[in-house]
Amino acid sequence: MLKVTIFREGRKHREVATEKKRIVLGREAGCDIVLDDKTVSRHHARIDVGEDSVTVTDLGSSNGTYVNRERIQSHTLAPNDGITVGGFGLTVRGHKSLGGYSSGAIEFQRPGAGSGSREPEQKTPSGTAIITAMDARRIGRGDDIREGEIDRAGMMKRLSVLYELGENLYGRLAVDEIADTFLDVLFEVFPRADRALMMLEDKQTRKLMPLAARQKGTEEQDVTVSRTVVDTVLEEKQAVICGDTGADSRFSDSASLQDLRITSIMCVPLLVSDRVLGMVEVDSRQGGIGFRDDDLRLLAGLTAQVGIALENSRLYKEVESSRRLAAIGQTVSGVAHCVKNVLNGMDGGLFIARRGLEAKDNRKIAKGWDMLERNSSFLKGLVLDMLDYSKDRPPEYVPTSLDDLFAEIMAFVEGRAAEAGILLSLDIDKSISPVPLDPTRMKRALLNLVANSVEATPEGGKVTVSVATVDSARYCVTIADTGKGIPEDMMDTIFEPFVSTKGSKGTGLGLPVMKKIVEEHGGRVELDSKVGEGTTFKITLPMKAAS
């Protein structure tokens, strides 16, 4: 009498004894052994009992029939062979050709048999091959595949998945985004997976810290991993696969795995240039055929891609940190330089004022007071420029008359221009209606430009300010001078903070702040300058408020 033992999720499900010579396995009720699961075809496989042998044959099933983890069309069973049909494992005994079979062994998920892996299998005390370990550093180099055993279709699928993951990771620098993208791909590639974990090793404590974890269903579970697997993966840099945790004595005492009902595990180290960053684990609660060696190779290849992405993220952060420190250093240096000049001017004013008080000389007192007032105003302007440049401030729009705005601006610079013998002219298109502007900030921006033009223009020169319509949606403010111009080597950096053509007289923030205010209004700044001929700024602004 033939005895067929059926396992599900690593546990004995039931046993069937039969004297039939032909036994049909399938989901349909009329089969000799009914296996009620959607992974099983209606007529999945057949066991034929002969005088000298027992043969299992696949009946064109959707998911295939496996013996010792190898897909078969027809196979003559040997002692200790394990059959996998969908989500079920089966063992057969009771025939003279199957003598010596140990009823306590469960081998239908044996990952090592016929896999082509060159690494020696690790054996449980009972002799059952459960874990296959591969050197993660060799996977993907081709030396783990024997000649004549290349699955070209499988390799093409693997390459396609690797390419897809590379595309999805391209440009991602946030670690959380990298991890989420990776887990999405894992569940798509390994449909039998119930849980995926990604863990990084803390550099100080050397402990594994969960980076991302996901599982099927909505029930939350603690992140639990097997210490046995972790030690093998991290210390030996091995990629491991365990087909049946329930049958492996090394996992029998793991209450966490038993509670989670995990039956099959893949785990690979997260490596970058032979340096371990952490590990990735994919596990399943489903019985029957678990993960295969090809799955392990694919997971190792995908994890290598993620390791590169994480390393790129780390390097980017280091570069950004260096840039940030450099920018902070440049900012502090620029501010310190400006403040130092202001303090020197204030010290000079205080010295003159003190001498005037001692001598009761009102003229000296007035001169010292004037120096204090000018340097205090300069310092106030520096602080306002820094605040304007460092914060994003949406314009507070008010319908503004350009005639009135430029009348105020020109009033500020007329006296200085007259003293220097500079011709100042203003030409505004009268057809332009009041436009939406933040008048306070735009006035500062444009006044800065006009004042710079006056300062840069020699005696007898000319500064022209004009406002004209570009089209129905835009108007242009042009400020042109006949001054000394901007050197060509400064044209690319003139709008960067603390770059100034005025030496110690300027803060180097005027033009960057002006450009920022214009752009916040939805405008654009264009510059044209030639040394010895002058400079022209063109500011194009929208007729309507920028959203």
Side-chain angles (χ1 to χ4, degrees):
M1 181 176 289
L2 205 68
K3 290 186 178 181
V4 180
T5 306
I6 303 165
F7 298 87
R8 189 167 190 176
E9 295 184 351
R11 294 170 175 82
K12 186 175 179 179
H13 182 56
R14 71 182 193 274
E15 191 170 72
V16 176
T18 179
E19 293 183 349
K20 289 185 175 183
K21 300 300 182 182
R22 175 165 288 189
I23 306 158
V24 176
L25 315 174
R27 193 174 73 244
E28 195 170 82
C31 293
D32 300 303
I33 296 179
V34 177
L35 303 173
D36 187 14
D37 189 275
K38 63 182 180 180
T39 61
V40 179
S41 298
R42 288 184 299 169
H43 294 86
H44 197 109
R46 186 182 70 239
I47 297 174
D48 293 301
V49 183
E51 183 67 27
D52 299 317
S53 64
V54 178
T55 304
V56 60
T57 303
D58 184 74
L59 299 178
S61 64
S62 298
N63 293 321
T65 301
Y66 294 79
V67 175
N68 300 336
R69 300 182 59 82
E70 291 297 320
R71 188 165 184 165
I72 57 95
Q73 289 300 319
S74 182
H75 178 84
T76 300
L77 294 176
N80 296 334
D81 276 350
I83 306 168
T84 299
V85 174
F88 296 87
L90 299 91
T91 57
V92 181
R93 59 193 175 97
H95 190 275
K96 63 181 182 180
S97 67
L98 303 177
Y101 176 80
S102 170
S103 61
I106 303 174
E107 298 197 45
F108 56 85
Q109 286 190 327
R110 186 169 66 191
S115 65
S117 173
R118 293 182 181 178
E119 293 78 8
E121 296 171 359
Q122 301 180 27
K123 304 284 186 177
T124 64
S126 65
T128 304
I130 299 298
I131 284 187
T132 296
M134 304 178 188
D135 188 340
R137 293 161 292 187
R138 286 174 50 203
I139 293 177
R141 297 180 183 177
D143 54 355
D144 60 330
I145 302 174
R146 288 177 177 171
E147 185 178 355
E149 296 182 354
I150 298 174
D151 178 3
R152 298 189 183 279
M155 289 183 68
M156 289 301 295
K157 178 184 176 183
R158 197 189 309 180
L159 287 171
S160 175
V161 173
L162 289 169
Y163 177 79
E164 180 183 350
L165 178 62
E167 285 284 290
N168 290 336
L169 290 177
Y170 180 76
R172 296 185 187 274
L173 294 169
V175 173
D176 290 344
E177 285 188 11
I178 293 171
D180 286 341
T181 301
F182 183 42
L183 295 189
D184 286 342
V185 172
L186 289 184
F187 276 99
E188 182 180 341
V189 173
F190 304 115
R192 294 184 63 83
D194 289 301
R195 188 176 70 153
L197 310 175
M198 188 173 178
M199 308 186 80
L200 296 182
E201 190 177 53
D202 185 89
K203 291 181 179 179
Q204 278 72 39
T205 65
R206 302 302 301 275
K207 291 182 179 179
L208 281 178
M209 306 299 293
L211 173 61
R214 194 177 302 170
Q215 59 189 17
K216 288 180 180 177
T218 56
E219 183 182 356
E220 291 291 332
Q221 298 279 6
D222 293 334
V223 176
T224 306
V225 293
S226 165
R227 191 70 248 175
T228 302
V229 172
V230 170
D231 290 342
T232 303
V233 169
L234 297 187
E235 293 178 12
E236 301 177 22
K237 298 177 183 176
Q238 296 278 308
V240 302
I241 183 171
C242 176
D244 186 2
T245 60
D248 191 326
S249 61
R250 286 168 292 188
F251 300 102
S252 60
D253 295 331
S254 177
S256 58
L257 293 181
Q258 299 302 321
D259 290 343
L260 292 171
R261 300 176 68 192
I262 292 173
T263 61
S264 184
I265 294 175
M266 288 192 297
C267 193
V268 300
L270 191 54
L271 296 173
V272 174
S273 301
D274 210 33
R275 177 166 50 90
V276 177
L277 300 182
M279 58 169 263
V280 173
E281 179 178 314
V282 177
D283 50 51
S284 173
R285 303 186 185 96
Q286 302 179 43
I289 185 161
F291 301 116
R292 308 181 66 186
D293 290 355
D294 279 347
D295 293 330
L296 187 62
R297 289 187 177 92
L298 178 55
L299 179 60
L302 294 171
T303 303
Q305 287 263 46
V306 170
I308 293 170
L310 290 174
E311 184 70 0
N312 287 341
S313 173
R314 183 186 68 81
L315 293 174
Y316 176 79
K317 286 178 181 178
E318 287 185 0
V319 170
E320 283 299 296
S321 178
S322 299
R323 287 177 178 172
R324 196 177 299 115
L325 289 173
I328 290 172
Q330 182 187 9
T331 302
V332 170
S333 175
V335 171
H337 179 73
C338 292
V339 171
K340 181 188 71 174
N341 290 336
V342 173
L343 292 177
N344 286 339
M346 296 181 81
D347 282 344
L350 284 170
F351 176 79
I352 293 172
R354 189 181 298 113
R355 284 297 180 90
L357 286 170
E358 290 171 357
K360 297 181 180 180
D361 185 341
N362 289 336
R363 187 178 61 81
K364 283 187 177 181
I365 294 173
K367 183 178 179 181
W369 181 261
D370 180 63
M371 289 178 66
L372 285 170
E373 201 170 46
R374 279 190 287 109
N375 282 282
S376 174
S377 176
F378 185 91
L379 188 60
K380 180 181 178 181
L382 172 64
V383 171
L384 290 175
D385 282 344
M386 289 176 63
L387 289 174
D388 264 332
Y389 189 74
S390 63
K391 291 183 179 180
D392 289 329
R393 294 186 178 183
E396 297 179 6
Y397 287 106
V398 175
T400 304
S401 166
L402 294 178
D403 278 321
D404 294 342
L405 179 68
F406 279 96
E408 293 182 31
I409 290 172
M410 301 304 272
F412 271 96
V413 296
E414 279 176 350
R416 194 182 312 170
E419 288 178 8
I422 298 169
L423 178 62
L424 194 62
S425 67
L426 174 64
D427 181 20
I428 297 179
D429 186 345
K430 302 297 182 181
S431 66
I432 301 176
S433 305
V435 292
L437 290 175
D438 185 331
T440 302
R441 299 185 67 218
M442 186 58 74
K443 177 180 162 184
R444 285 191 63 224
L446 296 176
L447 176 58
N448 201 315
L449 269 187
V450 177
N452 280 352
S453 294
V454 171
E455 289 179 9
T457 304
E459 184 176 354
K462 184 179 181 181
V463 174
T464 302
V465 179
S466 62
V467 182
T469 301
V470 176
D471 51 41
S472 60
R474 299 174 300 162
Y475 64 96
C476 180
V477 176
T478 303
I479 300 169
D481 64 59
T482 58
K484 57 185 179 181
I486 299 171
E488 188 174 347
D489 60 352
M490 294 186 68
M491 291 289 285
D492 293 334
T493 60
I494 197 67
F495 291 110
E496 292 181 8
F498 306 113
V499 174
S500 176
T501 60
K502 296 187 287 186
S504 61
K505 294 182 180 179
T507 65
L509 283 174
L511 289 181
V513 169
M514 177 277 299
K515 186 172 184 286
K516 182 171 180 288
I517 291 173
V518 169
E519 289 176 349
E520 286 172 347
H521 278 75
R524 184 178 76 251
V525 179
E526 295 176 79
L527 169 63
D528 182 32
S529 184
K530 291 183 180 180
V531 175
E533 296 183 19
T535 301
T536 300
F537 285 92
K538 288 186 177 181
I539 300 170
T540 305
L541 291 162
M543 293 284 190
K544 295 182 179 180
S547 59

